[in-house]
Amino acid sequence: MDAQALIGTWKMISWTRRVVATGEVSDAMGADPVGYIAYQPDGRMMAFVANRQRPAGRREGYSDADKATLFDTMLAYTATYTLEGDRVVHHVDAAWDPAWQEDQIRPIRLEGDRLVIHNAPGKDLLSSQDVIFRLEFRKL
């Protein structure tokens, strides 16, 4: 992997999840997620993804149920990163979910102006199922 080619801001195109037990594939953050991942030359990165169908904002505040829905329909974290062959390791130091404050290992591939994070095993936060994620981004 060419470390220089990874540097920049990437816009999310899709994010799917495949359930390991059944093979079922679905969109992880809705059919048209909004998201960005940015890799900087200083070795830092940031990621943000949200479902476009999130509840509308409210000036008067949110109920606990609203807050849970907002939490469940986004993710964000910041980290340092290192490249290890065909993987990037995000060494997370702050995240929307403190459980993510550990190394996140991401198998990656560059295809022209596309960054594909593929075969990334994980635990679905809503269903607790073992899943394999595939994320695709386009370089801005």
Short mmCIF file of all heavy atoms in Angstrom, two decimals, residues 37-59:
data_model
loop_
_atom_site.label_atom_id
_atom_site.label_comp_id
_atom_site.label_asym_id
_atom_site.label_seq_id
_atom_site.Cartn_x
_atom_site.Cartn_y
_atom_site.Cartn_z
N ILE A 37 -13.90 9.97 5.81
CA ILE A 37 -12.74 9.51 6.53
C ILE A 37 -11.57 10.31 5.98
O ILE A 37 -11.49 10.53 4.76
CB ILE A 37 -12.55 7.98 6.41
CG1 ILE A 37 -11.52 7.48 7.40
CG2 ILE A 37 -12.23 7.57 4.99
CD1 ILE A 37 -11.55 5.95 7.57
N ALA A 38 -10.73 10.82 6.86
CA ALA A 38 -9.61 11.66 6.43
C ALA A 38 -8.32 11.15 7.06
O ALA A 38 -8.27 10.90 8.26
CB ALA A 38 -9.86 13.11 6.84
N TYR A 39 -7.32 10.98 6.21
CA TYR A 39 -5.98 10.56 6.65
C TYR A 39 -5.03 11.73 6.41
O TYR A 39 -4.96 12.25 5.29
CB TYR A 39 -5.51 9.33 5.86
CG TYR A 39 -6.31 8.10 6.16
CD1 TYR A 39 -7.37 7.72 5.35
CD2 TYR A 39 -6.00 7.31 7.26
CE1 TYR A 39 -8.12 6.59 5.63
CE2 TYR A 39 -6.74 6.17 7.55
CZ TYR A 39 -7.80 5.82 6.73
OH TYR A 39 -8.53 4.70 7.02
N GLN A 40 -4.32 12.13 7.45
CA GLN A 40 -3.42 13.27 7.37
C GLN A 40 -1.96 12.81 7.31
O GLN A 40 -1.62 11.74 7.82
CB GLN A 40 -3.64 14.18 8.60
CG GLN A 40 -5.07 14.66 8.75
CD GLN A 40 -5.58 15.40 7.53
OE1 GLN A 40 -4.88 16.24 6.97
NE2 GLN A 40 -6.79 15.08 7.09
N PRO A 41 -1.08 13.64 6.74
CA PRO A 41 0.33 13.27 6.63
C PRO A 41 1.02 13.12 7.98
O PRO A 41 2.04 12.45 8.09
CB PRO A 41 0.96 14.42 5.84
CG PRO A 41 -0.13 15.26 5.32
CD PRO A 41 -1.38 14.89 6.05
N ASP A 42 0.45 13.73 9.04
CA ASP A 42 1.07 13.64 10.36
C ASP A 42 0.72 12.35 11.09
O ASP A 42 1.08 12.17 12.25
CB ASP A 42 0.70 14.85 11.22
CG ASP A 42 -0.79 14.93 11.55
OD1 ASP A 42 -1.58 14.08 11.08
OD2 ASP A 42 -1.18 15.87 12.28
N GLY A 43 0.01 11.43 10.41
CA GLY A 43 -0.33 10.14 11.02
C GLY A 43 -1.62 10.13 11.81
O GLY A 43 -1.91 9.17 12.52
N ARG A 44 -2.44 11.18 11.68
CA ARG A 44 -3.73 11.23 12.36
C ARG A 44 -4.84 10.99 11.35
O ARG A 44 -4.66 11.26 10.16
CB ARG A 44 -3.94 12.57 13.05
CG ARG A 44 -2.92 12.77 14.17
CD ARG A 44 -3.44 13.45 15.40
NE ARG A 44 -4.73 13.01 15.87
CZ ARG A 44 -4.92 12.06 16.79
NH1 ARG A 44 -3.91 11.41 17.31
NH2 ARG A 44 -6.13 11.76 17.19
N MET A 45 -5.98 10.51 11.84
CA MET A 45 -7.14 10.30 10.99
C MET A 45 -8.40 10.61 11.79
O MET A 45 -8.37 10.64 13.03
CB MET A 45 -7.18 8.87 10.44
CG MET A 45 -7.31 7.75 11.43
SD MET A 45 -8.98 7.44 12.10
CE MET A 45 -9.89 7.14 10.62
N MET A 46 -9.49 10.85 11.06
CA MET A 46 -10.80 11.08 11.66
C MET A 46 -11.85 10.42 10.78
O MET A 46 -11.68 10.37 9.56
CB MET A 46 -11.11 12.57 11.75
CG MET A 46 -10.20 13.32 12.69
SD MET A 46 -10.57 15.08 12.70
CE MET A 46 -9.62 15.59 11.27
N ALA A 47 -12.90 9.92 11.41
CA ALA A 47 -14.00 9.30 10.67
C ALA A 47 -15.33 9.77 11.26
O ALA A 47 -15.45 9.90 12.47
CB ALA A 47 -13.90 7.79 10.74
N PHE A 48 -16.29 10.00 10.37
CA PHE A 48 -17.65 10.33 10.77
C PHE A 48 -18.59 9.71 9.76
O PHE A 48 -18.39 9.86 8.55
CB PHE A 48 -17.89 11.85 10.80
CG PHE A 48 -19.32 12.18 11.08
CD1 PHE A 48 -19.78 12.27 12.38
CD2 PHE A 48 -20.23 12.37 10.05
CE1 PHE A 48 -21.12 12.54 12.65
CE2 PHE A 48 -21.57 12.64 10.30
CZ PHE A 48 -22.00 12.73 11.60
N VAL A 49 -19.62 9.03 10.24
CA VAL A 49 -20.65 8.44 9.37
C VAL A 49 -22.00 8.59 10.08
O VAL A 49 -22.09 8.41 11.30
CB VAL A 49 -20.39 6.93 9.11
CG1 VAL A 49 -21.48 6.36 8.20
CG2 VAL A 49 -19.02 6.71 8.51
N ALA A 50 -23.03 8.91 9.28
CA ALA A 50 -24.38 9.01 9.83
C ALA A 50 -25.40 8.53 8.81
O ALA A 50 -25.19 8.65 7.61
CB ALA A 50 -24.71 10.45 10.24
N ASN A 51 -26.49 7.99 9.31
CA ASN A 51 -27.63 7.64 8.49
C ASN A 51 -28.33 8.94 8.10
O ASN A 51 -28.58 9.78 8.96
CB ASN A 51 -28.57 6.72 9.30
CG ASN A 51 -29.72 6.21 8.50
OD1 ASN A 51 -30.38 6.93 7.78
ND2 ASN A 51 -30.00 4.92 8.65
N ARG A 52 -28.64 9.12 6.82
CA ARG A 52 -29.30 10.35 6.39
C ARG A 52 -30.73 10.47 6.93
O ARG A 52 -31.32 11.55 6.89
CB ARG A 52 -29.35 10.42 4.86
CG ARG A 52 -28.02 10.74 4.26
CD ARG A 52 -28.16 11.05 2.77
NE ARG A 52 -26.88 11.07 2.13
CZ ARG A 52 -26.12 12.15 2.00
NH1 ARG A 52 -26.54 13.30 2.49
NH2 ARG A 52 -24.96 12.08 1.39
N GLN A 53 -31.29 9.38 7.41
CA GLN A 53 -32.66 9.38 7.92
C GLN A 53 -32.72 9.61 9.43
O GLN A 53 -33.66 9.18 10.08
CB GLN A 53 -33.34 8.06 7.56
CG GLN A 53 -33.32 7.74 6.07
CD GLN A 53 -33.90 8.86 5.23
OE1 GLN A 53 -34.95 9.40 5.52
NE2 GLN A 53 -33.19 9.23 4.17
N ARG A 54 -31.72 10.28 9.98
CA ARG A 54 -31.73 10.57 11.42
C ARG A 54 -32.89 11.50 11.77
O ARG A 54 -33.37 12.26 10.93
CB ARG A 54 -30.41 11.23 11.83
CG ARG A 54 -29.23 10.33 11.57
CD ARG A 54 -27.94 11.00 11.93
NE ARG A 54 -27.77 10.83 13.37
CZ ARG A 54 -27.04 11.63 14.12
NH1 ARG A 54 -26.41 12.65 13.61
NH2 ARG A 54 -26.94 11.41 15.41
N PRO A 55 -33.34 11.48 13.02
CA PRO A 55 -34.41 12.39 13.44
C PRO A 55 -34.00 13.85 13.25
O PRO A 55 -32.82 14.19 13.33
CB PRO A 55 -34.59 12.08 14.93
CG PRO A 55 -34.02 10.72 15.12
CD PRO A 55 -32.92 10.59 14.10
N ALA A 56 -34.98 14.69 13.00
CA ALA A 56 -34.72 16.12 12.84
C ALA A 56 -34.24 16.72 14.16
O ALA A 56 -34.59 16.24 15.25
CB ALA A 56 -35.99 16.83 12.37
N GLY A 57 -33.45 17.77 14.05
CA GLY A 57 -32.96 18.45 15.24
C GLY A 57 -34.08 19.18 15.98
O GLY A 57 -35.10 19.53 15.39
N ARG A 58 -33.88 19.36 17.27
CA ARG A 58 -34.88 20.04 18.10
C ARG A 58 -34.19 21.06 18.98
O ARG A 58 -33.27 20.73 19.72
CB ARG A 58 -35.58 19.03 19.01
CG ARG A 58 -36.40 18.02 18.29
CD ARG A 58 -37.12 17.18 19.30
NE ARG A 58 -37.87 16.14 18.62
CZ ARG A 58 -38.33 15.08 19.21
NH1 ARG A 58 -38.12 14.90 20.49
NH2 ARG A 58 -39.01 14.19 18.53
N ARG A 59 -34.65 22.26 18.94
CA ARG A 59 -34.07 23.32 19.78
C ARG A 59 -34.45 23.13 21.25
O ARG A 59 -33.72 23.57 22.14
CB ARG A 59 -34.50 24.69 19.30
CG ARG A 59 -33.96 25.02 17.94
CD ARG A 59 -34.20 26.50 17.62
NE ARG A 59 -33.89 26.80 16.25
CZ ARG A 59 -32.67 26.98 15.77
NH1 ARG A 59 -31.64 26.86 16.56
NH2 ARG A 59 -32.48 27.26 14.50
#
